[in-house]
Amino acid sequence: MAYNFKKIEEKWQNYWKQNNTFHVSNISNKKKFYVLDMFPYPSGAGLHVGHPLGYIASDIYSRYKRHKGFNVLHPQGYDSFGLPAEQYAIQTGQHPQKTTDENISRYREQLDRMGFSFDWSREIRTSDKTYYKWTQWMFLLLFDSWYDSNLQKARPIKELINHFKNKGTAEIINTSINFSAEEWLKFDSHQKEEILQEFRIAYLSEAFVNWCPKLGTVLANDEVIDGLSQRGGYEVVRKKMKQWSIRISSYSERLLKGLDKIDWPESLKDMQKNWIGKSKGAMIKFKINSSSKSISVFSTRPDTIFGATFLTLAPENELVTELTTKENKKEVEDYINSSSKKSERDRISDVKSISGVFTGSYVIHPFTKKLLPIWISDYVISTYGTGAVMAVPCGDARDYAFAKHFNIEIVNIFKDVNIDDEAFESKEKVQITNSDFLNDLDYHSAFDMACSKLNEISSGNKTVNYKLRDAVFSRQRYWGEPIPIYFKNDIPQPINLKYLPLELPNVKNYLPTENGDPPLGNAQNWGWDIEKNKVVSKSKIDEKKVFRIELNTMPGWAGSSWYFNRYMDPNNDQSFASKDALKYWKEVDLYLGGSEHATGHLLYSRFWQMFLYDMKLVNTEVYAKKLVNQGMILGNSALIYRDIDSGIFISSDSLDDEKIQKINVDINFINQNNELDLKQFMDWQPEYLEAKFKMKNDVFKVEREIQKMSKSKYNVVNPDDICDSYGADTLRLYEMFLGPIEQAKPWNTNGISGVFNFLNKVWKLFYDENNLIVVDSEPDIESLKILNQTIKKINHDIENFSFNTCVSSLMILVNKLTEKKCSSSKVLKPLSILLSPFAPHLAEELWFVLGNENSIIDEVFPEHDPNLLIEEEKNYPVSFNGKLKFQILLSNDLTKQEVEEIVSNHDLTIKNLNGKSIKKIIFVPNKIINVVC
RNA sequence: GCUCGGGUGGUGGAAUUGGUAGACACGUUGGACUUAAAAUCCAAUGAGCAGUAAUGUUCGUGCGGGUUCAAGUCCCGCCCCGAGUACCA
């Protein structure tokens, strides 16, 4: 009988479905274990081979834990709000809800084929109103909260208002606003709200966006390539807009400290640490020469203050207009204009070109009272520190280059250091000179001294700065959660929690309105009636009873920042999850997903959970104890060149000196010789219908590049074909066999037949051409030994998420059993269970043919018998330098004397006591001896 | 640019974390079975040199240095590739 994977897989998938095998209860006397995957965004391209990599790994672990006797929660859902569905809606006019639903059912079909042990009764979708109701609810909590820096936690805004009523801003730290209780009571509602906005965790502020004037819309960074829009290749500028933001920066210190409490990969923690970017330094105030104002600067090197010879401001700095003198006005405006066309990333990463412009104004050095010129340069970023830099050319490479370029004075404050050619950036082994009271001090003492002197003359103080910025929360998009806020006389008002969800309205057009409003501006019914407490027609807005509703929607990260809590109790409509459910499941025990989320989702969700914890809504501040990163499966992308000036597409082999933009095209349009099918390409998107090409010998070649597999890169490979020709079990094993899960790797199917052969070999241990050949007799000792070795190794390797080596071990075992013709049920039974997490369909079938009636999933995972694992000693000589040389590796129980005896004996061999019996092998005279004869 | 990874045969990758580099697969070559092919099974397979052969020997983990009796593994300096870089998810 042959291995019929199709029949087997169908049979067991149906069995699991009919028996609710993977349904998990919140009530159990077993220990709980929560295994979570990062839920997918249901893109139109379907599930690609990269998605299952993590899901297979987590499924193996979940099934393993279940075999070990845990009550395992292993849910799945969809992060179903997002940009691509909206872009598709713009192109086709179809409602994103419709395409999202279609994509989800496609995903579900694909997921079902792979035999995952998900409990689908707990499925969630972020775009479902029963889900986003709670996202909106949490947003309003953020709106109605402030961060108390004294207590280091979030508190209800009401408590702050009470505090203002009684004490004004007294005792409130980390704020620049000051008023008394009496003053507070006299403020009108506008003024009060303005002040509260400085404290609310969700607040309105001006922030920069990518604005494309030609398309009349805000673009995501992903839609901008080399400063031009991906669609059409138009100019994009940075423009200020009123935006909702989340004050995540107030949690900087806790987010940093919290890293110590979680078992996440060190590299990922490092990334978050650096992203939060804590640095110690000083806030230094420089008085402006020509006005009463001053410029505050954050510097990590207050010790070098006497080396400061100018100040540099970001072009966006609010003081720029005021500081610019008449003579410099045109130059400054031109400069600001040109830098608004550069992306922030380009500005920071371009270290080679030096640009800047003098404002014409000066500040006064707090100690020397010398005048320092104020310059503007776009390497200074408005969102880091104060958007102004104290430039010390002798101690900073960038300032040095800037000063040389513009002929600004350079003062050397480092004793015995030559700075003729470059700045001296080290803090170590140097004394300060030329610096008045800091002379002869080292870095640390000078740092402290400078800070205390600044404090004395009220020109600054020691401070800590974080790079982490508040998170912009508004999107000028349709397909996202509506923000449950209406505006009464321009004051944002929360919609009462009772009336959530605020449902996403229908619109005729998913593009921004003619006057530049977000797509929700197209909604007819988008007024909030405060008497009826419901949405009414916009035409009824009268600013008395009916008010306009916020037009922006929430970003993708809103719904994904708390979803792990929802799985615990997904159908609850009284709360986001019941207290009992939250208490039982508590937190995620194993979270599996890509490291590309390191500074996005994985930081936002930690913040969100901390906030919920502060609000006493969850029981733990840490939502995922352990995180394992799955490396990305990379795709082989195809890119074509577009001439920026003419818009003509250029074949990759006929590029001259054109300035080009690279565009990803669908890999399905490319043949084996990397040639593009022009017809398919032109039909692909409306804007390419009229495309013109520069070709060579009538063919158009593309460039190939390895990139992450993603719909936006059009390089997606589906797993369906592999399920069709080899089956899900083969796919599962193969994806694991490809390499360690943490490692990124390009997709290829070269070795898949090896894994398929393995499953066939397993099958042949049970069946010959016609019959079941399993026998009850005792197995031979060698088969038993290797079985026990494998059991030991697999237990160890699963716990360490080393699934690729598990597969290898299984292969070795099966090869051995085949060689030994071992068909004893005493070996095949444990083999089936070992196989179960990896190839669950086949394992179930084998378990069944061995005469068992119940699913294999609740069988106890085998433990090895230590008596069968006594290591054999291996003997072999080593030689080098033309002479025979022996290494004697000693076990701990050999004495020196015994060693000498062995050495003196000329009949030497080397004993390799194989790792287990001796832990560490160290050199002479302790445990290793080299002997030359 | 900055932060974090990675680089081992023709290919994917092993290597008990400093102790026999190349497990397990793929591919390739040869053989068995077959009229033939597919499938399956067996054998060889890092490169070079010597030898009919068993075998011996040199070189080999991106590049250049270093530490060590011993380095794929640790340290210093480079090169290349990937991810993220604050509105893709």
Side-chain angles (χ1 to χ4, degrees):
Chain A
M1 242 168 81
Y3 165 49
N4 186 339
F5 60 85
K6 215 167 186 165
K7 215 169 129 191
I8 293 172
E9 289 178 3
E10 255 179 45
K11 173 180 168 187
W12 290 101
Q13 281 168 16
N14 284 332
Y15 175 92
W16 294 329
K17 208 170 166 182
Q18 277 160 20
N19 291 280
N20 272 326
T21 308
F22 302 119
H23 185 269
V24 53
S25 166
N26 286 358
I27 300 161
S28 166
N29 47 16
K30 289 181 186 171
K31 270 199 190 165
K32 69 100 188 182
F33 201 91
Y34 184 0
V35 180
L36 180 67
D37 288 298
M38 288 184 186
F39 60 170
Y41 172 80
S43 98
L47 204 66
H48 61 68
V49 290
H51 289 113
L53 184 75
Y55 303 156
I56 293 165
S58 67
D59 197 60
I60 289 170
Y61 202 77
S62 302
R63 286 172 177 272
Y64 169 77
K65 276 286 167 185
R66 185 147 169 193
H67 284 297
K68 290 276 180 184
F70 288 85
N71 188 31
V72 178
L73 174 56
H74 187 212
Q76 188 57 289
Y78 305 96
D79 189 12
S80 46
F81 271 135
L83 195 55
E86 179 159 334
Q87 277 172 332
Y88 192 71
I90 291 168
Q91 279 171 28
T92 64
Q94 290 198 63
H95 197 292
Q97 179 77 59
K98 187 169 168 262
T99 49
T100 300
D101 287 348
E102 284 165 8
N103 293 345
I104 286 179
S105 34
R106 171 101 193 275
Y107 266 54
R108 179 62 191 278
E109 260 171 52
Q110 290 179 299
L111 288 169
D112 280 347
R113 292 191 67 182
M114 283 178 262
F116 293 130
S117 61
F118 295 128
D119 178 358
W120 283 108
S121 71
R122 293 175 184 256
E123 178 193 315
I124 57 172
R125 303 176 183 194
T126 55
S127 62
D128 198 302
K129 64 185 176 192
T130 63
Y131 181 89
Y132 70 66
K133 170 181 173 175
W134 300 106
T135 311
Q136 291 176 334
W137 183 80
M138 289 172 189
F139 172 81
L140 291 180
L141 287 183
L142 288 161
F143 177 79
D144 270 330
S145 303
W146 64 293
Y147 193 79
D148 184 340
S149 300
N150 283 316
L151 298 180
Q152 284 283 310
K153 62 178 271 199
R155 294 171 62 189
I157 198 92
K158 274 184 198 153
E159 297 177 16
L160 181 67
I161 295 171
N162 277 334
H163 185 99
F164 285 162
K165 277 184 195 159
N166 297 323
K167 300 183 184 169
T169 50
E171 296 164 28
I172 306 276
I173 58 169
N174 275 7
T175 176
S176 50
I177 308 170
N178 286 299
F179 53 81
S180 65
E182 294 75 42
E183 282 172 302
W184 170 259
L185 293 169
K186 281 179 202 153
F187 291 142
D188 65 26
S189 51
H190 267 103
Q191 287 168 313
K192 280 181 179 161
E193 182 54 38
E194 221 164 86
I195 290 164
L196 290 176
Q197 285 289 327
E198 297 290 320
F199 291 91
R200 292 185 189 280
I201 295 180
Y203 66 101
L204 277 167
S205 70
E206 297 263 306
F208 281 94
V209 295
N210 300 314
W211 178 255
C212 180
K214 192 93 182 218
L215 295 172
T217 172
V218 177
L219 296 176
N221 286 339
D222 229 38
E223 299 173 290
V224 184
I225 303 166
D226 303 329
L228 302 174
S229 65
Q230 186 178 34
R231 252 185 304 148
Y234 306 120
E235 191 173 77
V236 176
V237 297
R238 285 163 47 77
K239 187 181 149 189
K240 249 186 183 174
M241 273 177 107
K242 198 101 179 172
Q243 307 267 300
W244 284 99
S245 291
I246 302 291
R247 211 177 297 279
I248 186 172
S249 64
S250 56
Y251 278 79
S252 299
E253 188 61 31
R254 272 172 74 186
L255 286 167
L256 194 61
K257 288 234 176 80
L259 290 171
D260 296 336
K261 298 178 200 160
I262 48 183
D263 182 10
W264 289 18
E266 282 307 315
S267 60
L268 189 132
K269 289 204 231 177
D270 284 346
M271 263 197 254
Q272 289 207 350
K273 200 179 282 172
N274 294 323
W275 182 261
I276 295 167
K278 182 179 185 172
S279 54
K280 289 179 184 154
M283 199 59 88
I284 305 171
K285 248 194 274 181
F286 288 88
K287 288 216 168 70
I288 299 169
N289 181 31
S290 53
S291 94
S292 59
K293 289 189 180 171
S294 55
I295 300 175
S296 282
V297 162
F298 174 77
S299 171
T300 55
R301 297 294 304 272
D303 55 307
T304 64
I305 187 161
F306 285 93
T309 55
F310 60 104
L311 243 55
T312 319
L313 305 189
E316 300 87 358
N317 193 298
E318 286 167 4
L319 292 165
V320 164
T321 337
E322 197 181 326
L323 290 170
T324 305
T325 55
K326 257 189 201 151
E327 308 83 70
N328 297 291
K329 201 173 173 201
K330 188 169 179 323
E331 254 187 285
V332 168
E333 277 172 3
D334 287 350
Y335 187 75
I336 292 173
N337 192 29
S338 75
S339 62
S340 80
K341 290 174 190 164
K342 290 192 216 166
S343 73
E344 197 173 277
R345 198 187 306 174
D346 288 344
R347 279 167 50 175
I348 304 168
S349 55
D350 182 7
V351 288
K352 284 177 202 136
S353 47
I354 297 159
S355 73
V357 60
F358 178 45
T359 59
S361 296
Y362 296 85
V363 290
I364 305 163
H365 191 286
F367 296 120
T368 67
K369 306 294 176 195
K370 274 210 293 199
L371 291 184
L372 310 180
I374 306 169
W375 284 70
I376 296 170
S377 179
D378 59 15
Y379 76 80
V380 181
I381 299 300
S382 63
T383 45
Y384 180 66
T386 59
V389 169
M390 164 183 101
V392 182
C394 67
D396 180 277
R398 202 140 192 184
D399 296 344
Y400 186 89
F402 196 90
K404 280 255 156 145
H405 188 263
F406 290 108
N407 248 324
I408 306 171
E409 189 191 5
I410 299 174
V411 176
N412 189 359
I413 55 149
F414 299 114
K415 205 177 204 169
D416 303 328
V417 171
N418 183 335
I419 55 154
D420 290 349
D421 298 319
E422 55 179 357
F424 181 77
E425 294 192 300
S426 169
K427 294 171 182 170
E428 307 301 323
K429 292 178 194 161
V430 72
Q431 284 181 346
I432 306 275
T433 187
N434 261 334
S435 297
D436 194 356
F437 53 84
L438 299 179
N439 282 349
D440 301 328
L441 297 179
D442 65 4
Y443 161 73
H444 294 283
S445 344
F447 185 103
D448 291 337
M449 177 67 93
C451 289
S452 60
K453 288 275 180 184
L454 281 166
N455 219 351
E456 267 172 43
I457 59 166
S458 306
S459 284
N461 53 294
K462 205 184 257 189
T463 178
V464 171
N465 189 56
Y466 298 92
K467 216 157 36 183
L468 181 66
R469 318 207 286 240
D470 285 345
V472 178
F473 201 71
S474 299
R475 297 291 181 270
Q476 293 66 43
R477 302 284 175 183
Y478 173 73
W479 191 232
E481 301 88 343
I483 295 176
I485 292 282
Y486 63 92
F487 290 89
K488 188 173 171 183
N489 304 318
D490 275 344
I491 301 176
Q493 305 283 346
I495 285 172
N496 194 306
L497 300 174
K498 278 188 281 189
Y499 306 111
L500 296 179
L502 173 65
E503 280 189 56
L504 187 63
N506 279 321
V507 291
K508 279 174 280 178
N509 184 350
Y510 303 103
L511 286 169
T513 65
E514 274 176 18
N515 51 23
D517 278 337
L520 286 189
N522 292 317
Q524 283 309 307
N525 293 320
W526 206 235
W528 185 256
D529 187 321
I530 57 168
E531 285 182 345
K532 293 180 188 154
N533 279 308
K534 64 175 208 182
V535 174
V536 296
S537 167
K538 230 168 26 179
S539 59
K540 295 194 176 148
I541 292 176
D542 57 6
E543 297 287 340
K544 285 174 192 135
K545 288 176 198 162
V546 179
F547 300 92
R548 66 190 169 87
I549 306 177
E550 171 67 54
L551 298 177
N552 286 294
T553 52
M554 297 189 198
W557 58 270
S560 61
S561 291
W562 67 276
Y563 73 112
F564 33 84
N565 290 313
R566 185 66 177 168
Y567 282 130
M568 298 175 186
D569 191 12
N571 301 312
N572 195 324
D573 59 359
Q574 298 304 307
S575 62
F576 69 91
S578 74
K579 287 235 166 355
D580 286 345
L582 286 161
K583 202 174 156 193
Y584 179 66
W585 293 111
K586 213 172 161 193
E587 81 275 83
V588 175
D589 294 284
L590 173 67
Y591 193 17
L592 220 141
S595 62
E596 71 269 28
H597 299 284
T599 54
H601 162 65
L602 289 172
L603 195 63
Y604 294 133
S605 49
R606 285 181 57 219
F607 150 74
W608 202 286
Q609 180 81 356
M610 283 177 177
F611 172 73
L612 294 179
Y613 180 73
D614 287 351
M615 296 284 113
K616 298 193 169 59
L617 294 166
V618 293
N619 302 305
T620 152
E621 190 178 25
V622 167
Y623 75 87
K625 272 201 275 196
K626 183 171 177 70
L627 176 86
V628 171
N629 277 136
Q630 128 217 5
M632 244 171 294
I633 297 253
L634 305 170
N636 196 357
S637 303
L639 296 109
I640 59 172
Y641 304 148
R642 175 162 68 191
D643 183 1
I644 288 176
D645 298 323
S646 64
I648 293 174
F649 294 100
I650 303 166
S651 177
S652 67
D653 54 3
S654 42
L655 184 67
D656 297 323
D657 293 335
E658 295 97 338
K659 269 181 78 179
I660 49 132
Q661 189 183 15
K662 285 187 191 175
I663 299 169
N664 276 82
V665 297
D666 196 321
I667 49 165
N668 295 309
F669 305 162
I670 315 298
N671 69 12
Q672 286 178 334
N673 303 319
N674 292 332
E675 293 158 7
L676 179 70
D677 185 320
L678 298 184
K679 194 172 173 311
Q680 278 186 312
F681 172 70
M682 289 162 82
D683 290 342
W684 186 31
Q685 279 171 25
E687 61 169 304
Y688 298 136
L689 266 175
E690 309 280 311
K692 293 197 172 62
F693 303 92
K694 179 178 162 191
M695 303 198 278
K696 197 174 183 179
N697 307 326
D698 283 337
V699 293
F700 189 95
K701 292 220 169 192
V702 299
E703 190 190 294
R704 300 310 294 248
E705 222 173 272
I706 303 289
Q707 292 178 314
K708 78 168 170 178
M709 197 175 278
S710 154
K711 196 203 170 193
S712 64
K713 309 229 185 283
Y714 308 106
N715 58 0
V716 162
V717 180
N718 284 316
D720 300 23
D721 301 344
I722 291 163
C723 279
D724 287 340
S725 25
Y726 297 98
D729 284 338
T730 298
L731 175 70
R732 289 171 64 109
L733 278 163
Y734 182 61
E735 291 222 9
M736 291 302 101
F737 191 62
L738 264 180
I741 43 165
E742 327 80 74
Q743 194 175 298
K745 49 213 161 240
W747 178 252
N748 76 77
T749 52
N750 290 345
I752 200 154
S753 61
V755 169
F756 186 61
N757 282 346
F758 160 71
L759 291 177
N760 275 292
K761 282 183 196 167
V762 172
W763 184 257
K764 283 180 190 164
L765 290 173
F766 287 74
Y767 284 99
D768 64 10
E769 281 103 56
N770 307 307
N771 302 303
L772 193 66
I773 52 171
V774 181
V775 288
D776 274 339
S777 62
E778 283 298 317
D780 62 289
I781 186 73
E782 264 187 76
S783 295
L784 262 184
K785 262 190 186 168
I786 189 136
L787 172 70
N788 278 276
Q789 274 168 24
T790 310
I791 290 172
K792 188 178 174 192
K793 187 149 170 50
I794 285 190
N795 271 295
H796 177 265
D797 286 354
I798 292 184
E799 290 290 2
N800 290 289
F801 308 98
S802 177
F803 302 126
N804 54 329
T805 51
C806 287
V807 180
S808 297
S809 308
L810 286 169
M811 285 176 172
I812 295 169
L813 171 64
V814 169
N815 283 345
K816 191 80 186 178
L817 296 181
T818 306
E819 186 193 311
K820 290 273 159 197
K821 296 198 167 67
C822 174
S823 276
S824 161
S825 62
K826 290 193 173 123
V827 170
L828 295 185
K829 249 180 142 162
L831 170 64
S832 311
I833 306 172
L834 283 181
L835 197 64
S836 163
F838 301 91
H841 308 88
L842 178 59
E844 288 275 23
E845 179 67 16
L846 299 177
W847 190 246
F848 176 75
V849 303
L850 285 171
N852 301 288
E853 300 214 334
N854 291 327
S855 165
I856 195 171
I857 188 73
D858 289 314
E859 284 309 308
V860 178
F861 210 71
E863 293 285 346
H864 71 275
D865 177 356
N867 297 327
L868 284 163
L869 292 187
I870 293 155
E871 299 288 336
E872 283 169 34
E873 291 181 357
K874 290 176 191 166
N875 301 320
Y876 53 90
V878 179
S879 74
F880 71 87
N881 281 349
K883 292 176 180 177
L884 266 185
K885 179 164 184 170
F886 299 101
Q887 289 190 327
I888 306 176
L889 315 190
L890 308 178
S891 78
N892 288 331
D893 45 59
L894 275 182
T895 65
K896 203 181 166 194
Q897 235 175 8
E898 286 169 310
V899 173
E900 278 161 1
E901 262 171 53
I902 300 170
V903 173
S904 65
N905 179 352
H906 282 263
D907 189 18
L908 286 170
T909 52
I910 291 201
K911 297 188 175 182
N912 184 352
L913 298 169
N914 214 349
K916 313 298 171 204
S917 51
I918 52 170
K919 262 284 177 258
K920 202 93 182 174
I921 302 154
I922 311 167
F923 177 59
V924 186
N926 302 331
K927 291 170 191 164
I928 257 206
I929 292 198
N930 295 331
V931 185
V932 184
C933 307

